Amino acid sequence: MQNSLPDSETLYAALVSKDDNFEGIFVVGVKTTGVFCRPTCTARKPKRENVEFFGSAHDALLHGYRPCKVCAPMEHKGSAPDWLKPLLAEITADPLIRFKDSDLRRRGLDPSRVRYWFKRHHQMTFQAYLRALRIGQAFGRIRHGEKVTGTAFESGYESLSGFADQFKKTTGFAPSKSREGRLIATTRILTPLGPLLAGASAEGICLLEFVDRRMLETQLQRLNKLFKAECVPGFSEHFDNLSVQLAEYFSGKRKEFDIPLVLSGTPFQQRVWAGLRKIPYGSTRSYKEQAEAIGLPSAVRAVAKANGDNRIAIIVPCHRVIGADGELVGYGGGLWRKRFLLALESGQKSLLHT
Ligand SMILES: [Zn+2]
């Protein structure tokens, strides 16, 4: 992540001038105090030689920094910074809008900052993101019976072949194959623990992972193979439901989820994941107890491995499995998240902000 940041001179200048255009682009660790801050923190600015820049609060935490009390860099983690919100609203309202750099500048936005943000949060360029949204929409329309030609032109393409090329590049199949073809729509859902990447096929949610999770790329590739479908940013009827239920969960009001899930995996994985879903809210089990609960007492390691392969965080509650001695042990989204989820579920509100 770090190498996708602007150079440190630019970052330090942004830090000193409290440039809020850099909110969401980096946080800064202060070596002398062990604290990390937002770019706009009002506390006295550290000397250049005492700072270390990170692309996310998560990275700063991993390097042993703790969040600053003045600027609270953990809050609204991953939510779009204020300067970007109008642009995101525009795109959401109409994914067909074209944005050149000059259009961004006219809106008072620095194109390079827009690019950094999209690279960081969607792992693709701003233009690639817009293209993917357009193609995802076109896919939906053709699937629902609209003609390829009309859709191509209405999607803003000037030639049918240009549209077909881009379509195939994004989806892996020709526009005319949209009825049989499959796509996994992806979106980001904001939570108090940072953004989650959600994926949905027509049948239900097939992915829910923290955006900065190690192995996220690998998970996406596996998904790709399993479903024989490309992941494309876009919309799904399942996302609205999911966002609402996650918000209820994080506010402590929801204990069970009621959302169609698509849990593709081996029979063994399926069995382990089904077992996870039986661990009640607010309780934990050791790996050994979990292996016993699903009738596989001698397969503790394999059960632990299948836990780790869970693609649907929170809803398939792999965070409820802990070490035999009560240690939290591994969690793909990071131990601090596991700690938060378990504290939330046990009603220990006081632990949530440590
Ligand atoms: Zn601060």
Side-chain angles (χ1 to χ4, degrees):
M1 274 308 198
Q2 214 153 345
N3 51 12
S4 64
L5 280 175
D7 63 90
S8 58
E9 214 151 295
T10 307
L11 295 178
Y12 190 73
L15 177 67
V16 170
S17 61
K18 301 182 194 140
D19 188 343
D20 76 350
N21 285 319
F22 281 87
E23 278 290 325
I25 306 270
F26 77 91
V27 296
V28 60
V30 185
K31 294 174 192 162
T32 44
T33 58
V35 155
F36 72 96
C37 286
R38 298 166 184 277
T40 52
C41 184
T42 52
R44 207 161 64 89
K45 295 299 181 182
K47 290 203 179 104
R48 172 86 187 253
E49 61 267 30
N50 292 333
V51 300
E52 205 178 343
F53 297 104
F54 300 100
S56 68
H58 179 60
D59 286 347
L61 287 167
L62 283 182
H63 282 78
Y65 290 97
R66 57 183 195 282
C68 164
K69 290 212 165 79
V70 179
C71 62
M74 296 294 291
E75 274 167 33
H76 311 295
K77 282 170 307 297
S79 71
D82 286 341
W83 59 268
L84 192 65
K85 281 181 185 155
L87 178 68
L88 293 180
E90 242 182 298
I91 296 170
T92 310
D94 180 7
L96 301 185
I97 305 184
R98 300 279 167 155
F99 288 99
K100 293 194 190 127
D101 281 1
S102 55
D103 299 318
L104 293 173
R105 282 196 204 94
R106 232 192 331 277
R107 287 165 173 81
L109 296 165
D110 175 341
S112 67
R113 275 166 211 164
V114 172
R115 275 197 289 277
Y116 285 127
W117 192 87
F118 274 88
K119 269 265 172 202
R120 159 113 346 96
H121 293 278
H122 293 286
Q123 286 77 45
M124 63 178 87
T125 66
F126 176 52
Q127 294 301 338
Y129 179 79
L130 288 179
R131 273 197 299 276
L133 274 187
R134 283 196 282 269
I135 295 296
Q137 279 223 328
F139 166 74
R141 295 172 61 173
I142 297 169
R143 201 182 170 87
H144 286 106
E146 285 189 39
K147 294 266 187 305
V148 172
T149 316
T151 307
F153 294 115
E154 278 167 44
S155 303
Y157 286 84
E158 280 157 21
S159 79
L160 194 54
S161 64
F163 172 73
D165 285 349
Q166 187 59 52
F167 192 100
K168 185 142 197 233
K169 219 166 122 193
T170 308
T171 64
F173 47 85
S176 57
K177 299 273 187 249
S178 292
R179 296 248 172 167
E180 313 88 273
R182 308 180 62 157
L183 276 190
I184 295 170
T186 61
T187 194
R188 299 164 76 240
I189 295 175
L190 298 177
T191 77
L193 288 179
L196 283 160
L197 181 69
S201 65
E203 297 79 30
I205 296 295
C206 56
L207 178 77
L208 192 62
E209 291 276 22
F210 290 100
V211 167
D212 59 1
R213 187 197 197 278
R214 284 178 293 130
M215 312 276 292
L216 184 61
E217 283 292 306
T218 316
Q219 286 282 35
L220 285 176
Q221 283 162 7
R222 276 189 206 153
L223 209 58
N224 208 317
K225 276 202 194 131
L226 262 173
F227 287 84
K228 298 190 178 51
E230 295 290 330
C231 298
V232 179
F235 310 98
S236 157
E237 52 177 327
H238 302 295
F239 291 152
D240 296 336
N241 225 342
L242 179 63
S243 305
V244 169
Q245 295 196 17
L246 279 171
E248 291 167 353
Y249 169 82
F250 277 104
S251 67
K253 284 184 213 130
R254 175 172 287 275
K255 301 193 169 163
E256 274 169 49
F257 290 86
D258 173 24
I259 291 179
L261 302 181
V262 186
L263 296 163
S264 276
T266 64
F268 183 82
Q269 286 174 323
Q270 303 264 14
R271 184 163 169 186
V272 172
W273 297 336
L276 288 172
R277 297 184 74 192
K278 294 204 179 96
I279 308 177
Y281 181 98
S283 59
T284 55
R285 275 184 197 159
S286 69
Y287 287 98
K288 188 160 169 287
E289 288 168 338
Q290 182 58 8
E292 281 161 5
I294 58 175
L296 297 161
S298 59
V300 179
R301 264 167 193 278
V303 168
K305 165 84 174 63
N307 261 7
D309 291 332
N310 173 30
R311 277 183 301 271
I312 305 186
I314 300 174
I315 301 182
V316 176
C318 56
H319 60 275
R320 292 179 195 153
V321 181
I322 60 175
D325 49 4
E327 284 284 306
L328 294 188
V329 299
Y331 187 58
L335 282 186
W336 65 284
R337 289 197 171 108
K338 188 167 180 173
R339 195 172 300 125
F340 182 106
L341 294 172
L342 292 176
L344 171 76
E345 295 184 0
S346 65
Q348 293 169 275
K349 288 245 162 58
S350 60
L351 288 178
L352 296 185
H353 296 287
T354 54

